[in-house]
Amino acid sequence: MKFIRVKIKVLECRSDFRLVYQLFMLIKKIFIIVVLLVSSLNGYTQIIGCTDPHAINFRSDAVENDGSCLYGPTNYSPPLYIRKLDDKVSETSGLVFFKGGLWTINDSGGEAEIYKIDTITGKVIQTIILKNTSNKDWEDITQDSSFLYIGDFGNKAGNRKDLCIYKVSKRQIPEKGNATVKTEVIYFTYIDQRNYKFNPYHHNFDCEALVCKDDSLFLFTKNWEDNATKVYTLPIMPGVYEISPRNSYNVKGLITGAGLSPDGKHLTLVGCSDFQSFITILFGYKTNDFFSGNKRRIDFPGLLVTKTESVAYTDNENILISTEQSSVPQCIFRVNTGRWTSPVRSDLAYDLPDPFKVKVLYPLKNEKASLLVSDLPDSCLVIDIFNTDGEKVYNDDTVFVSPQQTYSLNILTQDFTHGTYFIKVTSADQFILKKLIIE
């Protein structure tokens, strides 16, 4: 009987342990469910959107930037930095700033050399020869802390199979005087290029832009066919690689150079469209996904028929842009990008008084919109309407109004496709941008 009682006690203990274990597992499951529910609710309350106060669709309540920022068309006239470069670099096609100096290269057919430029006179003050290389079509130069990288990947005809990047140790370059240095080579092909037929200016496998970030090289293509750009990634180690496009963006032009800020937070692409130069500033992106953030285009209408070829940052806001010889001599312009990328306090950006008043009125029937302009500082008025791609779809620069009068313009909305537009009203060198939504 005693043996039976002990056995029963053991069974009871086992039964109690099983109940405790089941209760513990139930509490654990409830805790996990609560944590997941709280996390999902927190994620749900977070608002994503445009976080750039410079943008027209800025959301003050957005906590995460989704790359959706829209900007009104922006024109700028960059000041000259070096009026004329040495004739030895008349085909300047790449810029980089290191060792307190500005370095450049020539493009196709030039010598296999890099040149240091005097930033006051524009003269070549140092020449470095790259041993055992040739300049088939050098197009850009970039750097990391230890090396320079020269892209021999110009491919206007679309039939090159010897694309490569030359790697040069900075330790080989003396502070002063000319020198000959050794190079390593990184070879590559595009995995998405299957046709190597001679097809000048009618393909998407030319490249003239290169930057280095986080032990990787990033190439931005010059798409002759669709005016977009693709970004490819290469390791910085010498070898032979087949590379795939990571992403693409419709830049509405031909990209001829790229520059990365020292802190890695801003990347500027330079290019041209219909013989007009422009830059596209990329910022607010996630890690190395350059097209995930803000993409702001700045047009240089004063640089018509000027072949802008390269861009380099001298600090985190200032860039230098070089142009090769064309209708004007080879030179360098300077631009401060901080005016477009620096955060702006909303109380300063949006509480400033307008120089004059502009209202957009929508009638009940969505056939036309009325634009009312008053309190003009001058009698001359210019009205432009742009789409979200920055293309001008309407212009009227012959409006003369008395400063005391209110000017009214009826916009026939049936003449436009549905979407968002920007109305720019200019008077006496002052302007106001207004959004026009046609549904």
Side-chain angles (χ1 to χ4, degrees), residues 71-78 268-271 276-281 283 295-301 303 319 321 335-337 339-341:
Y71 302 92
T74 305
N75 295 331
Y76 181 70
S77 296
T268 294
L269 301 173
V270 65
Q276 178 177 290
S277 299
F278 70 90
I279 58 173
T280 295
I281 309 171
F283 58 104
K295 300 167 279 286
R296 180 154 191 182
R297 174 169 170 144
I298 312 297
D299 286 298
F300 302 147
L303 302 188
I319 60 173
I321 300 172
V335 178
N336 183 294
T337 62
R339 70 190 70 208
W340 303 298
T341 61

Side-chain angles (χ1 to χ4, degrees), residues 166-303:
Y166 296 115
K167 182 178 180 180
V168 180
S169 173
K170 291 182 177 179
R171 292 182 179 179
Q172 301 181 78
I173 300 176
E175 293 294 330
K176 295 181 179 179
N178 301 336
T180 300
V181 301
K182 298 178 182 178
T183 60
E184 299 177 283
V185 189
I186 304 169
Y187 296 98
F188 69 94
T189 56
Y190 303 112
I191 196 171
D192 50 331
Q193 182 175 9
R194 299 303 178 191
N195 185 354
Y196 287 90
K197 293 181 180 179
F198 182 75
N199 191 24
Y201 314 114
H202 289 89
H203 62 92
N204 292 332
F205 297 98
D206 195 3
C207 183
E208 297 189 9
L210 175 70
V211 298
C212 183
K213 188 174 187 288
D214 297 338
D215 295 328
S216 294
L217 294 168
F218 296 86
L219 290 71
F220 296 86
T221 58
K222 181 181 184 180
N223 289 14
W224 294 96
E225 198 166 42
D226 61 14
N227 277 345
T229 185
K230 295 178 288 184
V231 57
Y232 295 81
T233 308
L234 259 176
I236 60 174
M237 299 303 295
V240 181
Y241 302 94
E242 192 175 44
I243 57 177
S244 302
R246 292 183 50 160
N247 207 340
S248 65
Y249 175 62
N250 187 3
V251 288
K252 301 282 186 180
L254 301 173
I255 296 304
T256 57
L260 184 68
S261 63
D263 62 7
K265 296 181 179 180
H266 302 83
L267 189 148
T268 294
L269 301 173
V270 65
C272 62
S273 175
D274 295 328
F275 304 104
Q276 178 177 290
S277 299
F278 70 90
I279 58 173
T280 295
I281 309 171
L282 309 176
F283 58 104
Y285 43 75
K286 299 176 178 66
T287 58
N288 298 331
D289 187 3
F290 299 113
F291 298 141
S292 66
N294 305 323
K295 300 167 279 286
R296 180 154 191 182
R297 174 169 170 144
I298 312 297
D299 286 298
F300 302 147
L303 302 188

